[in-house]
Amino acid sequence: MVGIVVVSHSFGLAEGVAELARQMGGPDVRIETAGGLDLPDHPIGTDAVMVMEAVERAWSTEGVLVLMDLGSAVLSAEMALEMLPEEHRANILLCEGPLIEGAVAAAVTAKLGSSLEAVAAEARGGLASKLAHLGVGGAAAAAAAVEPTTASGEEASIQLVVENEHGLHARPAARLVQVASSHDAKVWVRNLTAGRGPADAHSVNAVATLGVRRGHRIEVAASGPQASQALEAVTALAARNFDEAAVAPSDAVAVPTMVRGANGELRGFPVSPGAAVGPARHLRATPLPLPRRDAGPPPDERSALDRAIGAARVDIAAQREAVERRAGTAEAGIFEAHLLFLQDDELIGPAREAIQQGATAEHAWTAATDRLTAAWEALDDEYLRARADDVRSVGQQVLAHLLGTPLAPPRPAGSGVLLARDLTPAETAGLDPDVVLGIVTAAGGPTSHTAVLARSLGIPAVVGVGAALLAVEEGTSVAVDGTSGEVTLAPSDEVATRLRAAERRRRAETDDARREGAQPATTVDGVMVEVSANVGAPEEIAQALANGADGVGLFRTEFLFMGRDRMPDEDEQAAVYTRAAEALEGRPLLLRTLDVGADKPLPFLAQPPEDNPFLGVRGIRLGLAMPAVLDPQLRAILRTAAAHPVRVMFPMVATVQELLDARAALDHARVEILAAGHAPPREDLAVGVMVEVPSAALTAATLAPFVDFFSIGTNDLTQYALAVDRGNGRVAGLADALHPAVLRLIGATCDAAAAADRWVGVCGELAGDTAATPLLLGLGVRELSMPSPAIGFVKRAVRATRVDEARALAARAMACPDAAAVRSLLADQA
């Protein structure tokens, strides 16, 4: 490996440049310094002898590159060259590159095992990125054409303007890489606005570190047999804002200015009810120490690295599935980028090259992740710089496997109120409610992953308080009210006492509701209502039953398909569904068939891009279009139904023909399992449709003869009825399921179902809202399915309801002009 010498008039400057270069290139790069004079306190000056000695320390048969600051530093370096043995001089190069930028570029290039000439060339070009960023020397002069331009053969290029909010950060970069990699073509990307690139479009890090921000123009070039198809797919992806619509709310990490209330308390978004008082705690990661050891043979070190990467890939896939089950696909999206990091040559290539040069696997990997992390942190956009944490997180997971050491997630130093800029889904999901009494974040909003997961954990939380929160010292007393959104620093005894009393009352109510959860949910006038749980895995059922669930009203089967490179086969699915049914001990299990599509892509399904995936091939449309996906799942469900009470539900049904085709597929699956020797399903197997599309609600009377039940997904039904993309932060506030239009669709479904003697359930977010319970019962709903913690409260609300009064309330609500009026009506009835 090429050695590097930094020569400066200043001892401090030389050492600082060397330290910066080591951080970029890694500890294995040999960098020596000759700064100041060899006297006490190192006065300003240069010394040829010191330069010569530094060259000798940095000596390598691959050569030594010498970088100098100015004036006599150059003369001293030339004199040192004359003093060295003649046979060494040919391998020493005095470089005219810039001292700081040149040293950093040289260190990174030397780490790759490049030749002395290549290292020098990179050093000389060290200022290029700065020149490009500042638009000096014509670097910012980008071509203006937006039409595809075709070069010779199969080469072509397009130019696009990036419109999504945070540019090509990790997740949209990952989508671009996925699209590019799905075609037989070489694809490159240039940031024309910033003058950066080209970058290999098969590398998420290479693309993301181009620093593409909103409004930047990029050029995408491709060559190869499928070059034109690749560019068409990229064009479609860009038209969809790189699929950012589904994840934008959880990506909203812009930090607002801190807002103070009238009494000096801080104000934010109340996102998880409850109150807590305790010392301020910041997350602290425990670094993994690198052992000192001699490297083994490169093949052995590389095998160790490959095994560690594979193990980390399994871990990340599991993290993605866990967050998917708890918070949804949008919140779990960042893990797709994490998985791509682990196959990215921008990260893995340098590590393998360092191993080949004699480094240990752990040192090689650490140097590679440090270099890539530094590249992210060097970007000028605050949001993109923050993505360095993602690289660091992935790097630590691999390193933990290399060292055989369990990786402890960042933890607070002790019990208290957690303060953070924002929390990743994995960080939030891993919090211990017995230690983390409350959560306050500087960034985020009501729909952030922190909000969703804090509610599921039962931790009081306030988000979006402001950047100054991060300056609060560790141990400062903090009071957080997750119901009002107030956060008080160093609260008075009076405030602390009030909040603690309020929290005791809330916890007592929660405990009472949980104890009452085991009792049936019967209205005052004797109408039975089934109150069930939404789950994503068999392991969640025990908690649901502890809260009083009458069954599972929505089992999201897609969790089994997410974050993996192959589809689960029939036997694997049957085993999971059967385990869930057994855990319910005779209670009903409602299995929704795979509910994914172009907006929630599966890695193993090749789907063409769609301009509007929310109106595209998803839900039952995907299943019918891909029998190889739907048929094994139906067989697995029917095998489970042989011994257990099972309900099967088809998602996103919009027409009668779709339902008939789905039922035909179910009948065919029945024939197949019998032919394979499996037992037939029980007679009580129930078949239903999920009402998410307005057309299904409006034609429920036509659908009713072919189903046993309807289950209304109020989240998507609201989205489609009000033309509001729930993933679009600018309009998400309009998506209120209590809008009279949505209530009328629910009412129409219930009326049609009653006429055909069918029952109706609700499995959307509205089912867990106790304020809406009387309204839903009045509309005709007789089954409610929700997150487990809400079950006891909803059962209590059912027991307080008279159906005849609820019908009158529903009629008045449907006559209201808007959702706000409905909420006011419900508040008056409380």
Side-chain angles (χ1 to χ4, degrees), residues 474-498:
E474 183 86 4
T476 301
S477 180
V478 178
V480 54
D481 187 339
T483 303
S484 68
E486 294 182 4
V487 178
T488 307
L489 304 180
S492 65
D493 291 343
E494 179 184 355
V495 170
T497 299
R498 173 174 57 81

Side-chain angles (χ1 to χ4, degrees), residues 764-777:
E765 191 172 324
L766 196 62
D769 185 346
T770 55
T773 300
L775 181 55
L776 293 174
L777 299 187

Side-chain angles (χ1 to χ4, degrees), residues 258-261 263-270 276 278 280 417-419 438-442 460-466 469 472 476-491 495 498-499:
M258 184 176 284
V259 178
R260 292 190 178 272
N263 298 317
E265 75 277 6
L266 311 180
R267 291 281 186 176
F269 297 106
V417 176
L418 179 64
L419 308 185
I439 299 172
V440 186
T441 65
V462 176
V463 303
V465 170
L469 177 76
V472 176
T476 301
S477 180
V478 178
V480 54
D481 187 339
T483 303
S484 68
E486 294 182 4
V487 178
T488 307
L489 304 180
V495 170
R498 173 174 57 81
L499 288 179

